[in-house]
């Protein structure tokens, strides 16, 4: 009995650092956000905050910028998930084959992941510059008219989607690669003996074998996509015409630029609930498909 109690105490000691980190950086800040969301808390005048009830929450549903940011993030999620997962799977299939310079390809495909999003965003600002950017210079060579890219309300979000897919696909590639290597080679050999084509082997062996991996990647990519901020903040500042404003960036700007921490807290609580609901729905849909 004493040994069992001692083992439990030792176990709690090992878990304690993680619990403390969750408490300090997640649970307490979330509780404070809920508390601030019912006030008109201004960072520059914290002592003057007053209780305003549900006024901040009611205002969010009338806030055109916040509603536009929800539309923008929905557009981003709808496009980024199939593009990034498809690109990652394609890259994983390339590096999964034994070929010369395979290690070089793995490093090259993964390299954008290790570069910070801020550096990547600044780099792409030069590439897609409408006047002197490299991309428009290449388009000029093939006699295509220069494009406005990030200065166009119609193109800016699609540019950010493409850059984000390029930057993040290498991480998902490694996870897909691990999943591909877990599929028994004997299944492919048996299919080859039966005369199955490459497409049928991919359709009936590779894709079913990657189902658990795909579900995990889909969940992490969805959560990551819903947290889009850096690219919009660095490359467009939410413009033009709020076409790249995202909820996370709007929360940051409202809370720390406009100093309206009470209203920003209400927006963050609502958006946090949206993320939770979407994640639960996505998990239930994918689990149902697995069954």
């Amino acid at each position: 009995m004493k040994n069992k109690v001692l083992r439990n105490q030792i176990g709690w000691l090992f878990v304690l650092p993680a619990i403390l980190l969750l408490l300090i950086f997640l649970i307490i800040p979330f509780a404070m956000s809920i508390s601030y969301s019912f006030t008109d808390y201004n960072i520059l005048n914290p002592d003057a905050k007053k209780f305003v009830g549900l006024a901040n929450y009611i205002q969010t549903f009338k806030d055109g910028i916040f509603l536009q940011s929800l539309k923008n993030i929905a557009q981003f999620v709808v496009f980024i998930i199939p593009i990034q997962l498809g690109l990652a799977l394609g890259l994983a299939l390339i590096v999964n084959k034994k070929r010369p310079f395979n290690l070089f390809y793995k490093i090259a495909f993964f390299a954008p992941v290790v570069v910070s999003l801020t550096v990547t965003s600044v780099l792409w600002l030069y590439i897609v510059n409408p006047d002197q950017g490299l991309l428009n210079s290449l388009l000029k060579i093939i006699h295509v008219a220069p494009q406005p890219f990030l200065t166009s309300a119609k193109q800016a979000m699609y540019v950010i989607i493409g850059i984000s897919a390029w930057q993040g696909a290498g991480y998902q590639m490694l996870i897909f690669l691990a999943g591909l290597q877990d599929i028994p080679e004997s299944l492919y050999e048996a299919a080859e003996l039966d005369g199955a084509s490459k497409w049928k082997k991919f359709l009936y062996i590779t894709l079913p074998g990657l189902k658990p991996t795909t579900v995990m990647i889909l969940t992490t990519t969805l959560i990551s996509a819903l947290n889009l901020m850096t690219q919009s903040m660095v490359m467009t500042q939410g413009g033009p015409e709020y076409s790249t404003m995202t909820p996370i960036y709007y929360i940051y700007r409202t809370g720390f630029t406009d100093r309206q921490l009470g209203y920003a807290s209400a927006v963050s609580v609502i958006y946090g609930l949206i993320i939770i609901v979407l994640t639960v729905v996505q998990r239930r849909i994918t689990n149902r498909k697995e069954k």
Side-chain angles (χ1 to χ4, degrees):
M1 186 66 180
K2 290 183 179 180
N3 289 337
K4 186 177 180 180
V5 172
L6 181 61
R7 284 199 301 270
N8 288 338
Q9 291 174 344
I10 293 173
W12 279 109
L13 284 175
F14 279 109
V15 175
L16 185 61
I19 293 175
L20 288 175
L21 289 173
L22 283 172
L23 190 66
I24 294 170
F25 294 105
L26 183 64
I27 298 173
I28 292 177
F30 185 69
M32 291 175 68
S33 293
I34 295 175
S35 173
Y36 290 151
S37 70
F38 296 105
T39 69
D40 62 352
Y41 186 17
N42 187 299
I43 294 178
L44 297 180
N45 195 10
D47 296 329
K49 70 175 183 287
K50 295 182 297 183
F51 179 77
V52 296
L54 296 174
N56 287 331
Y57 290 95
I58 295 171
Q59 180 61 30
T60 57
F61 296 102
K62 302 176 183 178
D63 190 339
I65 301 176
F66 176 59
L67 296 177
Q68 179 63 41
S69 73
L70 292 177
K71 292 179 183 178
N72 294 338
I73 202 65
Q75 178 186 6
F76 182 80
V77 168
V78 166
F79 281 92
I80 195 68
I81 288 180
I83 292 173
Q84 188 164 313
L85 265 65
L87 181 59
L89 179 57
L91 295 176
L93 291 170
I94 291 171
V95 298
N96 192 44
K97 300 292 183 182
K98 293 181 180 179
R99 64 184 79 220
F101 307 110
N102 216 14
L103 180 60
F104 169 78
Y105 292 134
K106 289 180 183 179
I107 295 172
F109 295 152
F110 187 74
V113 179
V114 299
V115 181
S116 75
L117 276 173
T118 304
V119 173
T120 300
S121 300
V122 172
L123 173 65
W124 275 96
L125 273 176
Y126 289 101
I127 295 174
V128 298
N129 184 288
D131 299 319
Q132 300 174 342
L134 175 62
L135 196 51
N136 266 337
S137 299
L138 294 175
L139 291 176
K140 188 177 179 180
I141 294 173
I142 59 175
H143 305 290
V144 176
Q147 300 297 311
F149 295 123
L150 294 173
T151 59
S152 167
K154 293 181 179 180
Q155 294 186 9
M157 181 54 79
Y158 293 107
V159 173
I160 289 178
I161 289 169
I163 293 170
S164 301
W166 168 83
Q167 193 273 338
Y171 176 72
Q172 280 88 7
M173 175 201 71
L174 288 184
I175 301 175
F176 270 129
L177 183 60
L180 287 171
Q181 293 176 350
D182 278 342
I183 300 174
E185 191 65 31
S186 58
L187 295 178
Y188 292 103
E189 293 172 356
E192 195 167 342
L193 289 173
D194 289 338
S197 64
K198 289 184 179 181
W199 170 247
K200 286 187 176 181
K201 285 190 282 187
F202 174 75
L203 196 62
Y204 296 109
I205 298 176
T206 304
L207 287 183
L210 287 175
K211 268 189 178 180
T213 305
T214 304
V215 170
M216 189 270 287
I217 293 177
L218 187 60
T219 303
T220 56
T221 304
L222 174 63
I223 295 172
S224 177
L226 291 170
N227 286 313
L228 175 69
M229 171 180 163
T230 303
Q231 297 93 313
S232 296
M233 181 171 65
V234 174
M235 302 180 78
T236 62
Q237 293 76 54
E241 301 174 17
Y242 299 111
S243 61
T244 59
M245 178 64 71
T246 65
I248 297 294
Y249 181 40
Y250 184 57
I251 291 167
Y252 167 82
R253 201 177 73 169
T254 303
F256 297 101
T257 302
D258 300 337
R259 308 291 194 268
Q260 300 298 323
L261 195 62
Y263 182 61
S265 297
V267 176
S268 67
V269 170
I270 289 175
Y271 190 58
L273 292 174
I274 291 173
I275 292 177
I276 292 171
V277 170
L278 288 176
T279 304
V280 170
V281 170
Q282 182 265 327
R283 286 292 299 171
R284 287 191 175 182
I285 291 172
T286 50
N287 288 339
R288 193 177 301 167
K289 286 183 179 179
E290 282 183 345
K291 293 177 182 178

